[in-house]
Amino acid sequence: LFRSWCWGSDAFLQIGDGPDVSLDKRASQVRKSNGNPLTGVVGVEAGSFGSCVWDVNGAAWCWGKNVHGEVGDGTTIPRPRARKVVTADGTPLANVTQVSVLGPFGCARTSGGAAWCWGLNDVGRLGDGTTTDRDHAVRVKRAGGGFLQGVAEVSAGSLHGCARLNDGTAWCWGYNYRGELGDGTQTMRLFPVKVTRPGVTPFLPIALSGVTSISAGNGQTCAATDAERAFCWGWNEFGQVGDGTTVDRTRAREVKYDASTPFGFVTTVSTNQTLACAMTGSIDWCW
């Protein structure tokens, strides 16, 4: 019976053990609304305003502040214990295989290759073509009509979301002030746009391809590729793009050891607030 445990600040009810909002210096067990422990947990995601898990039955559970519907249970009522994420008709979101949460919204991938998001949507974070907050899960759409399909992984950042597709491309949506969507602009996008990288000339960008891992952070995004390389783009004030500069990048740039040596043997990447990290074998590297 796999269970979830959390610890630290409970100011926004992100611990999930009940209504006590005191500092939890030791791990507390996450509980369902009836007080029973949440069991069958497959994965867990801790966010700033709440946290989420997904279970062996394909359900997503969240808890937290919920001012903008970031719990996804169809309400904006603060939730100190885990509640199931639901769709527009109140039916629990089914066949969930991954959940991602960082800021005041969350996203999930389902087994059919769909991406769903919920919560704060002021800058298009949910990718549904609107800026309307959602207290339930809505499916991420394409600009030309229909839904984003073939999703292999989702990542919810602070102000934007991203997805890795089965074809190895990366797509992002939401706020884009720092270029974190990677489409060569700083224009907010209500629908997903394809991430690109500079081509042979700056005027001929090409799609970032072979993506095997993606992570959306706070104004920046990183990805790993099947060539065992790391790419990042967006906010770069602290060098979090890893290209040897502190210049914001609106297209994906390869992470390097130095000016002439690419960072190699990368398997996964992760980025959060003002830094990024990658794993090479059993070793972690950060910048």
Side-chain angles (χ1 to χ4, degrees), residues 35-55:
N36 293 332
L38 180 60
T39 60
V41 175
V42 174
V44 61
E45 281 279 305
S48 300
F49 300 96
S51 304
C52 297
V53 303
W54 64 102
D55 67 20

Side-chain angles (χ1 to χ4, degrees), residues 242-256:
D243 67 341
T245 77
T246 54
V247 178
D248 290 355
R249 300 298 190 180
T250 61
R251 299 192 195 279
R253 298 291 181 130
E254 189 166 9
V255 178
K256 297 182 177 181

Side-chain angles (χ1 to χ4, degrees), residues 19 38 52 70 148 174 194 237 263:
L38 180 60
C52 297
E70 53 265 40
L148 189 66
K194 186 181 288 186
E237 181 179 355
F263 182 61

Side-chain angles (χ1 to χ4, degrees), residues 148-250:
L148 189 66
Q149 298 179 334
V151 176
E153 180 185 10
V154 292
S155 183
S158 293
L159 295 162
H160 72 295
C162 293
R164 170 175 63 88
L165 303 193
N166 290 325
D167 65 4
T169 59
W171 298 71
C172 297
W173 58 90
Y175 201 49
N176 198 23
Y177 177 67
R178 296 284 194 166
E180 57 264 43
L181 304 190
D183 68 338
T185 77
Q186 292 174 297
T187 303
M188 183 176 75
R189 304 294 187 180
L190 304 184
F191 296 102
V193 290
K194 186 181 288 186
V195 176
T196 58
R197 54 179 296 193
V200 176
T201 69
F203 306 104
L204 294 173
I206 59 177
L208 183 64
S209 61
V211 176
T212 57
S213 173
I214 192 163
S215 178
N218 181 30
Q220 75 278 355
T221 311
C222 291
T225 69
D226 55 9
E228 298 183 332
R229 296 289 193 264
F231 290 81
C232 296
W233 55 96
W235 187 28
N236 198 24
E237 181 179 355
F238 303 100
Q240 56 266 53
V241 168
D243 67 341
T245 77
T246 54
V247 178
D248 290 355
R249 300 298 190 180
T250 61

Side-chain angles (χ1 to χ4, degrees), residues 82-106:
R83 306 273 297 189
K84 279 187 179 180
V85 175
V86 301
T87 57
D89 63 1
T91 303
L93 183 62
N95 302 313
V96 175
T97 58
Q98 184 223 343
V99 175
S100 179
V101 58
L102 177 61
F105 79 109

